[in-house]
Amino acid sequence: MPLNVGTWFASFIDWSLANFGWFFDAVSWLVSLLVGNVEAVFVGLHPILIIAVLAGAAAFLTRSLGLTIYSVLALLLIVSMGLWVESMSTLAVVLVSVVFSLAIGIPVGIWAALNSKVSAVVRPVLDLMQAMPVFVYLIPAVFFFGVGMVPGIAATIIFAIPPAVRLTELGIRKLDADLLEAATAFGAKKSLILKDIQLPLAFASIMAGVNQVIMLALSMVVVAGLVGAGGLGGVVVQGVAQLDTARGFEGGLAVVILAIYLDRVTSGARSIGDVLRSRRIRKAQRNDVKAPAPAAAV
């Protein structure tokens, strides 16, 4: 007996539209508002100012002169190709998509790390989300939100959530059990252990998840261009549709430039946790030295 799984899914989409259409309209309005404001800032400011800010961020987070020089030259190349507005539109879409993905993925990852039953339920769902062809996400997204930027962002968020969940859970689970037992033995509450021990020590793994989320979000830009998301994805799709090799290559090159910049900067940001932890340890050691020794009992 054949099972019409696809028909059931289509019926579920129709039922959701009939009963929760107001919800999807509200989400569409909110996402459009957020992306519009972020894009207005990026596009409204002078390109030189944006380039200076991005290069400064690269220098601060990575402390790499080579990456700083690359950031300036590569972004100036985007300006010279006439793709600055499209690139800033793409950056705004990626930024909003990453914020939503992390806002969902990191709490779920923490919950899964602290509860094995939740982890057992979440794991197959993440497998399905990662194994599903990316184009499939666009079909229900178009039904829910219509054609344009919002369905592209919705599909991007779904596609980019799994690494945030997996690497957050992995970072917390791989911590030394003896360390957690010692904290528990000293009477520390679970919330305090999570805030002061588990999350700081898992920071590098969480940042690796952030890096992967950004890369997946950027990889969806071209796919989202198929449903009218605009930006560099629209440029590439236009080049393919018109067989315009030059236009398509320039759009793809701009995507690569942004991908390299975001990858290197977020990779460099992983060391921030180590730096902050070292400063905290040194500060605690200085306080111990300054503290007066207890008086000896007579």
Side-chain angles (χ1 to χ4, degrees):
M1 176 181 177
L3 295 177
N4 296 320
V5 178
T7 304
W8 296 344
F9 182 72
S11 299
F12 172 73
I13 297 296
D14 294 337
W15 177 83
S16 300
L17 281 173
N19 293 277
F20 298 99
W22 57 271
F23 172 75
F24 298 115
D25 291 341
V27 172
S28 179
W29 173 81
L30 177 62
V31 172
S32 299
L33 181 66
L34 290 175
V35 175
N37 288 330
V38 175
E39 184 179 357
V41 172
F42 285 161
V43 176
L45 296 176
H46 196 280
I48 297 300
L49 180 59
I50 297 292
I51 292 173
V53 171
L54 295 177
F60 175 74
L61 293 174
T62 66
R63 300 176 181 177
S64 169
L65 178 61
L67 181 63
T68 304
I69 295 174
Y70 161 82
S71 303
V72 174
L73 297 179
L75 294 172
L76 286 175
L77 177 61
I78 291 179
V79 175
S80 68
M81 291 190 296
L83 294 175
W84 180 255
V85 174
E86 290 82 358
S87 298
M88 292 300 101
S89 176
T90 297
L91 198 59
V93 169
V94 170
L95 182 61
V96 172
S97 301
V98 168
V99 168
F100 275 101
S101 298
L102 296 178
I104 298 171
I106 291 179
V108 173
I110 294 173
W111 193 16
L114 301 178
N115 191 318
S116 297
K117 293 181 180 178
V118 174
S119 178
V121 173
V122 167
R123 195 176 300 121
V125 176
L126 297 178
D127 293 338
L128 176 66
M129 292 169 68
Q130 286 189 300
M132 186 70 71
V134 294
F135 291 98
V136 176
Y137 292 128
L138 294 177
I139 301 173
V142 169
F143 276 106
F144 288 145
F145 303 109
V147 176
M149 173 183 56
V150 178
I153 293 177
T156 301
I157 292 172
I158 296 173
F159 186 62
I161 284 177
V165 179
R166 289 187 189 280
L167 290 172
T168 300
E169 180 183 1
L170 176 65
I172 294 176
R173 281 187 179 275
K174 73 178 183 181
L175 296 182
D176 189 357
D178 294 337
L179 180 63
L180 301 180
E181 289 179 2
T184 305
F186 279 103
K189 296 180 179 179
K190 290 184 178 179
S191 58
L192 196 62
I193 294 175
L194 176 66
K195 181 173 74 69
D196 289 345
I197 298 177
Q198 291 176 302
L199 288 180
L201 293 179
F203 183 79
S205 181
I206 294 173
M207 284 306 298
V210 173
N211 176 274
Q212 292 301 307
V213 168
I214 292 174
M215 291 297 103
L216 289 179
L218 199 53
S219 71
M220 279 290 291
V221 165
V222 176
V223 179
L226 295 173
V227 293
L232 293 175
V235 173
V236 175
V237 171
Q238 183 183 14
V240 173
Q242 299 177 354
L243 297 179
D244 188 343
T245 307
R247 189 67 171 169
F249 178 79
E250 290 179 348
L253 180 61
V255 172
V256 171
I257 288 172
L258 290 181
I260 293 175
Y261 172 82
L262 294 173
D263 177 64
R264 300 299 187 272
V265 169
T266 52
S267 297
R270 295 181 200 176
S271 61
I272 291 179
D274 297 333
V275 174
L276 294 177
R277 191 160 50 250
S278 300
R279 289 181 179 177
R280 183 182 299 179
I281 292 173
R282 287 198 298 269
K283 183 178 179 181
Q285 291 174 343
R286 286 196 298 269
N287 291 337
D288 291 341
V289 171
K290 293 178 181 178
V298 178

